[in-house]
Amino acid sequence: MATSTPVRHAWRALTALLVITAVLFGINALGVYVFKGSSWTPELALDLQGGTQIILEAQTADGTAPTSEQLDQAVTIIRQRVDASGVGEADVTTEGGKNIVVQIPGQADEETRQRIEAAAQLQLRAVLYAGAPATTFVGEDGEETPYPTPDPTLNSTPTASPTNGSDPAWITDALYAEYLAYDCTDPANDPASAPEDEPLITCDADNTVKYILGPVELDGTSITDASAGLEQTSGQWVVNIKFDDAGTKTFGKISERLYGAEAPLNQFAFVLDGSVLSAPSMNAIILGGNPSISGSFTQETAQALGDQLKYGALPLSFEVVSSDTISATLGSQQLQIGLIAGLIGLVLVAIYSLISYRALGFVIIASLAVMGILTYVMLCILGWRLGFRLSLAGVAGLIVTIGFTADSFIVYFERIRDELRDGKSITGAVEDGWGRAKRTIYISKSINILAAVVLYILADATVKGFAFTLGLTTALDILIFILFTHPVMQLLARTRFFGSGHPLSGLDPTALGAVYRGRAQFRAPSAAAPKTAAERRNAKSRGEAERRQTIAERKQAALAATDAPKPGSKTQEGED
Amino acid sequence: MRSMSQLGNDLYTGKTSFPFVGRRRLWFLIAALLVIGSVLVPLVRPIQFSIEFTGGSQFTVSSLSNPDQALATEAVQSVVPDAHTKVTTVGDSAVRVQTDQMSPDDTQAVTAALADIYGVDESEVTSSFIGPSWGADVTRQSLWGLAIFLALTFLILALYFRTWKMSAAAIIGVVDVLIITIGIYALCGFEISPAAVIGFLTILAYSLYDTTVVFDKIRENTQEDGEVSGRTFGESVNLAVNQTLIRSINTTVVAILPVGAILFIGAFALGAQTLSDISLSIFVGIIVAAYSTLFVAAPLYSLFRENEPGLAERDARILAARERAIAPA
């Protein structure tokens, strides 16, 4: 059987759509089963699954707007704090150049809140004692025994009054017992809020070393700059620090004290949020205020530490601008409401399409179904790859776009009907209507996508969710229009039911008043489907030039009809 | 009564024609009155802004069998004696309490007090705190988005249609939609919330989209008219609008059905404030957008173009020819 070009084209397009769908499902399947990062349900935003959202505004001490580096640093700091509080799956992002959005599943307790809101504090403390982060010891019986909880009767005031920040007299019996039992990974231990004038038990960021540190001797405000650099002689990466005047003096004294002391008393710790960033030992007396930290740094680690010292040094404080707690019950209820609304909307659109376009309504319904499937799998993939979370506004966006999507089909079908009114064959009308409708769809949908992109870039989080779904569905709409609706119409136009313009098909030329006569001279009247392949090709090959002529004729016919409607004339062709 | 497809046929051939362009003075007058009215409404009835804009704290207690409003006031005042409280019942099993801005400690205490007084678990109490700068930020960013979007759209449409006059007509039409929608919103006393702002932005996108579809048909009709056409420019525009009328009606209906479903469900369902806020503004906006495209944007375009020397000359020629054709008869 000879297959005409439009039919071949149609099958090719449908195959392409099938391939795209399969690939998308394949990608998500990979995400679910191989990378274990995705799932078969879209990620839900806080307002649908319940949880706490806190929006903080970062403020610098002098009231200037924080730079993007400071903000990034602030996000890192806050992320570490949230992780340290033992809350899983927290989401910390920046927004609009000065806000930090923290999203936590479930209800945030007061401690977590305070921890998040606390100002970033970089402290410099001398090391009194350092060791492995073990909380157990191997006793005489050869078994591993946890250190006991410190006995409250143990001596907790220094026997001799400590003379400086490195004085071992700080370590009382109680403190030492506490140190032994201290578990670095226990979120209940919160060294960030420890008092400044007392010794501190804490660990480094990786929990590989456990420290007892002296009281705070300098804080981050005394550091004016910190940067990574290459040491001239050794060619190693180091972190260079610059102190201000007061800091230079204090640090000079500290270095005199620490230099040559016995390890670990010669170490000096940089503590951010209670966690030790670095505890280098003092290798010289530094009076110029420009110490550098050397060690086994790579360029990256040196830069990271430099940033932490520099921005952690800036006393960024955080003010809560909005805080939301949504109960999980309310969240799931909202989702349910959204889904019911969407379903009702779909059913209504389906009913209206069937009334208005008869059997063609099924094409709209099928297109919307394909749309639904593709949107769903895209949401799963985007949730996995980009961390996209569906919010209530996003759900609203999806429902609203049902109507917007159906519009592209309406534009197309009305165009086909227009072509039929001009007396074209159904196959011809499907092709020519497509040629015209697609231009309209491309330009109008680009406006929609533009709107979505602009909104997405400029708007805040709530609007972003909506803009994203709007943009995504519009793009998918165009894809489906090209790869599904049009090919399906090409194929349907060749069936008996649609091709012959059955009254229920929605393409009945008689009902559409295929008015006009003047065209017969160009080709055979063809209300019925062309019967030979040659005819079909002919119908297809009518190009742009001829179409132009058609329009001029149509105008005349239209005018003729206005002047004197001729009863009966319009059915002339349909009955042939 | 004629069937829809029969009406479609008649509109297509021009047998039936609504004078969108012909009676444009009347339409412009109506549009002007609507716009002036919309601008005046807030003077009589100030626009209500939600607490996202004014700042404040909000609590929602859900899963209640007996949502007694008095209990809520009592609970709030037990914590902060002189707090202004506004209590509303949402659906039939929830209460929403809005108060002045509260400190985190007070928020915690009020949450506990509400849970206690209503005898529900604390997890059923939703709280939010919004600083007054929050809503202002949202608005400022939305306005920026709006301005940039309109500017880009103006450019793209001007490039596509090869005339800035179409862009101008489309943008004026959209601004018209926005003003009237906000006017209706204010008139009904609905609160403007960030969700409503999203709705307004959507309407913009939708309205421009709708106008573009109709304008594309106008472009087709007027560009291809050439010298031999028997229609004046205004008549061509009018025919195009009439030819796309069925599409405009169908689109509006299909777009409004799902939005109506959200609105209907959102209005009756508890706590789905975001849904009803978004859908309400879109619902009103879609209707206004359809009206504006037909009665404002398209007639405006014909007004802008008609006086171009080339077009005016051709129109005069066509009218003269028509006179001659009628005279002998």
Side-chain angles (χ1 to χ4, degrees):
Chain A
M1 191 180 110
T3 323
S4 69
T5 325
V7 171
R8 247 197 326 253
H9 165 265
W11 283 117
R12 239 192 330 242
L14 287 174
T15 314
L17 182 68
L18 206 65
V19 169
I20 291 175
T21 314
V23 166
L24 287 178
F25 272 91
I27 290 175
N28 199 47
L30 272 180
V32 176
Y33 301 112
V34 180
F35 297 102
K36 310 272 180 210
S38 186
S39 81
W40 288 111
T41 47
E43 295 288 324
L44 297 181
L46 204 96
D47 56 353
L48 293 181
Q49 65 167 4
T52 305
Q53 171 175 292
I54 300 170
I55 299 178
L56 303 155
E57 195 182 283
Q59 290 169 327
T60 55
D62 54 357
T64 53
T67 63
S68 64
E69 288 87 11
Q70 280 177 315
L71 213 57
D72 286 344
Q73 195 62 40
V75 167
T76 316
I77 292 169
I78 289 179
R79 189 171 290 138
Q80 281 164 357
R81 288 177 184 176
V82 178
D83 288 345
S85 65
V87 178
E89 284 184 61
D91 192 21
V92 186
T93 46
T94 56
E95 175 195 283
K98 67 170 185 185
N99 288 341
I100 295 161
V101 183
V102 185
Q103 298 194 313
I104 306 167
Q107 283 192 311
D109 55 23
E110 206 42 43
E111 266 173 53
T112 310
R113 277 171 190 276
Q114 275 168 4
R115 193 197 289 257
I116 292 170
E117 291 163 27
Q121 261 300 329
L122 180 71
Q123 301 172 334
L124 283 68
R125 293 172 183 253
V127 175
L128 298 174
Y129 196 88
T135 53
T136 56
F137 62 95
V138 180
E140 284 163 9
D141 53 0
E143 280 183 32
E144 214 171 81
T145 320
Y147 283 112
T149 319
D151 187 334
T153 60
L154 282 173
N155 173 31
S156 62
T157 37
T159 42
S161 177
T163 51
N164 60 46
S166 314
D167 194 331
W170 285 110
I171 307 175
T172 60
D173 296 343
L175 189 67
Y176 188 67
E178 204 186 316
Y179 168 80
L180 289 176
Y182 188 89
D183 180 2
C184 289
T185 56
D186 184 355
N189 290 323
D190 181 13
S193 53
E196 295 191 359
D197 50 0
E198 278 174 33
L200 170 74
I201 302 171
T202 184
C203 310
D204 65 350
D206 318 327
N207 295 331
T208 49
V209 188
K210 193 154 79 167
Y211 295 95
I212 302 180
L213 304 175
V216 176
E217 300 194 52
L218 271 172
D219 67 23
T221 47
S222 57
I223 296 180
T224 55
D225 197 15
S227 59
L230 271 175
E231 222 269 294
Q232 293 297 326
T233 48
S234 63
Q236 280 188 322
W237 281 98
V238 296
V239 179
N240 298 308
I241 302 171
K242 265 193 200 130
F243 282 106
D244 62 9
D245 291 345
T248 303
K249 269 183 216 140
T250 317
F251 190 76
K253 277 184 211 149
I254 296 169
S255 73
E256 281 173 332
R257 189 180 82 216
L258 265 58
Y259 178 62
E262 202 177 311
L265 290 175
N266 65 346
Q267 280 179 281
F268 197 61
F270 296 86
V271 187
L272 183 64
D273 267 351
S275 164
V276 175
L277 293 176
S278 170
S281 40
M282 200 69 75
N283 294 332
I285 294 172
I286 299 155
L287 299 172
N290 289 321
S292 59
I293 306 174
S294 55
S296 49
F297 286 121
T298 62
Q299 184 178 358
E300 284 78 30
T301 54
Q303 251 153 17
L305 180 60
D307 281 349
Q308 279 178 312
L309 294 180
K310 183 170 158 189
Y311 299 114
L314 281 165
L316 272 183
S317 61
F318 303 104
E319 197 199 335
V320 178
V321 282
S322 110
S323 144
D324 255 304
T325 313
I326 309 276
S327 76
T329 335
L330 189 64
S332 61
Q333 255 169 0
Q334 305 228 2
L335 181 62
Q336 208 180 359
I337 292 164
L339 292 179
I340 293 173
L343 204 65
I344 294 179
L346 264 179
V347 170
L348 289 176
V349 168
I351 293 173
Y352 187 81
S353 305
L354 289 177
I355 293 173
S356 210
Y357 293 100
R358 310 289 162 88
L360 277 186
F362 287 112
V363 177
I364 298 186
I365 295 168
S367 301
L368 286 176
V370 177
M371 176 89 179
I373 293 170
L374 286 183
T375 310
Y376 189 86
V377 70
M378 280 301 285
L379 289 180
C380 292
I381 295 175
L382 290 167
W384 167 44
R385 297 306 310 161
L386 297 178
F388 175 77
R389 283 155 177 261
L390 191 61
S391 64
L392 195 57
V395 171
L398 287 176
I399 301 171
V400 167
T401 47
I402 295 173
F404 294 4
T405 304
D407 181 52
S408 48
F409 312 134
I410 292 175
V411 169
Y412 182 29
F413 293 164
E414 286 301 327
R415 281 299 196 162
I416 294 178
R417 287 182 161 185
D418 285 355
E419 301 295 328
L420 287 175
R421 288 177 178 126
D422 275 352
K424 286 188 187 164
S425 72
I426 284 174
T427 38
V430 163
E431 291 307 322
D432 293 352
W434 164 251
R436 288 160 176 280
K438 74 178 177 195
R439 290 185 54 143
T440 308
I441 292 301
Y442 290 163
I443 178 66
S444 52
K445 294 285 172 184
S446 350
I447 298 288
N448 243 358
I449 289 183
L450 176 74
V453 170
V454 172
L455 278 186
Y456 187 81
I457 295 173
L458 282 162
D460 80 294
T462 22
V463 180
K464 263 194 172 62
F466 185 85
F468 194 90
T469 45
L470 185 67
L472 176 69
T473 47
T474 310
L476 286 177
D477 179 12
I478 299 175
L479 184 84
I480 288 166
F481 188 56
I482 298 171
L483 292 184
F484 184 80
T485 317
H486 177 224
V488 163
M489 284 308 294
Q490 285 178 314
L491 294 177
L492 286 181
R494 283 162 178 79
T495 61
R496 250 186 100 80
F497 180 75
F498 286 95
S500 63
H502 189 279
L504 286 178
S505 68
L507 288 176
D508 180 6
T510 320
L512 293 172
V515 249
Y516 120 159
R517 303 143 305 235
R519 237 250 300 285
Q521 56 215 52
F522 293 101
R523 61 184 179 86
S526 49
K531 289 180 184 56
T532 67
E535 257 176 1
R536 283 190 219 116
R537 260 198 303 282
N538 200 22
K540 161 76 183 166
S541 66
R542 271 175 292 115
E544 198 59 43
E546 203 178 347
R547 192 176 294 157
R548 244 162 212 292
Q549 197 158 8
T550 336
I551 283 147
E553 290 163 29
R554 194 171 63 199
K555 302 285 148 73
Q556 279 165 355
L559 212 64
T562 331
D563 293 341
K566 291 183 180 63
S569 65
K570 66 183 173 192
T571 55
Q572 194 179 320
E573 280 185 282
E575 280 161 3
D576 261 346
Chain B
M1 195 181 148
R2 278 181 301 187
S3 73
M4 200 76 158
S5 61
Q6 183 57 46
L7 176 66
N9 300 341
D10 293 348
L11 288 169
Y12 185 71
T13 56
K15 184 174 156 193
T16 303
S17 181
F18 295 101
F20 294 108
V21 172
R23 308 209 59 186
R24 68 185 175 208
R25 277 158 178 268
L26 178 65
W27 310 136
F28 289 159
L29 184 70
I30 293 174
L33 288 175
L34 283 173
V35 168
I36 293 169
S38 302
V39 173
L40 290 181
V41 164
L43 297 181
V44 188
R45 235 191 126 120
I47 294 179
Q48 303 286 311
F49 287 98
S50 69
I51 64 164
E52 280 86 352
F53 292 93
T54 57
S57 296
Q58 176 174 305
F59 303 85
T60 309
V61 194
S62 35
S63 307
L64 297 179
S65 48
N66 173 29
D68 183 355
Q69 299 193 6
L71 290 176
T73 317
E74 203 179 303
V76 174
Q77 286 182 347
S78 71
V79 179
V80 189
D82 54 349
H84 292 284
T85 46
K86 190 175 128 195
V87 187
T88 38
T89 318
V90 194
D92 51 5
S93 64
V95 181
R96 185 165 58 231
V97 190
Q98 296 188 336
T99 68
D100 308 332
Q101 237 164 292
M102 286 195 179
S103 69
D105 288 344
D106 286 346
T107 306
Q108 199 74 24
V110 170
T111 304
L114 283 169
D116 187 45
I117 210 160
Y118 282 107
V120 294
D121 194 75
E122 255 185 63
S123 66
E124 298 296 344
V125 182
T126 289
S127 69
S128 49
F129 157 82
I130 297 122
S133 66
W134 176 234
D137 280 357
V138 175
T139 317
R140 204 193 49 239
Q141 279 183 331
S142 304
L143 287 177
W144 264 113
L146 180 72
I148 293 175
F149 168 60
L150 288 182
L152 285 174
T153 307
F154 188 92
L155 206 69
I156 291 184
L157 289 184
L159 287 175
Y160 178 78
F161 290 123
R162 311 264 150 73
T163 163
W164 62 269
K165 290 181 176 174
M166 229 168 202
S167 302
I171 303 279
I172 293 175
V174 165
V175 173
D176 176 66
V177 172
L178 207 59
I179 294 176
I180 296 177
T181 308
I182 295 178
I184 294 177
Y185 216 75
L187 187 70
C188 301
F190 297 125
E191 262 186 4
I192 294 195
S193 64
V197 172
I198 297 180
F200 296 137
L201 294 172
T202 317
I203 293 163
L204 273 176
Y206 174 77
S207 174
L208 268 174
Y209 164 81
D210 186 61
T211 307
T212 309
V213 172
V214 175
F215 274 19
D216 203 47
K217 181 70 183 169
I218 296 180
R219 172 195 58 88
E220 192 181 301
N221 279 16
T222 54
Q223 258 182 15
E224 288 164 354
D225 264 352
E227 287 300 310
V228 292
S229 167
R231 265 189 306 272
T232 63
F233 184 77
E235 285 164 351
S236 293
V237 172
N238 200 49
L239 179 69
V241 179
N242 275 292
Q243 286 178 335
T244 44
L245 190 59
I246 294 288
R247 171 262 157 197
S248 297
I249 294 170
N250 279 346
T251 300
T252 308
V253 173
V254 165
I256 243 178
L257 287 174
V259 181
I262 315 180
L263 186 60
F264 183 77
I265 293 210
F268 291 103
L270 110 119
Q273 217 186 342
T274 313
L275 284 184
S276 35
D277 281 357
I278 292 184
S279 54
L280 183 69
S281 49
I282 298 181
F283 191 86
V284 176
I286 288 177
I287 299 171
V288 180
Y291 145 82
S292 169
T293 299
L294 301 177
F295 291 94
V296 179
L300 212 52
Y301 175 60
S302 75
L303 177 73
F304 285 166
R305 289 284 309 268
E306 250 170 28
N307 293 327
E308 283 178 18
L311 285 175
E313 209 175 287
R314 201 179 59 113
D315 283 359
R317 222 168 36 236
I318 290 166
L319 289 176
R322 212 175 283 170
E323 288 288 319
R324 277 197 303 277
I326 292 168

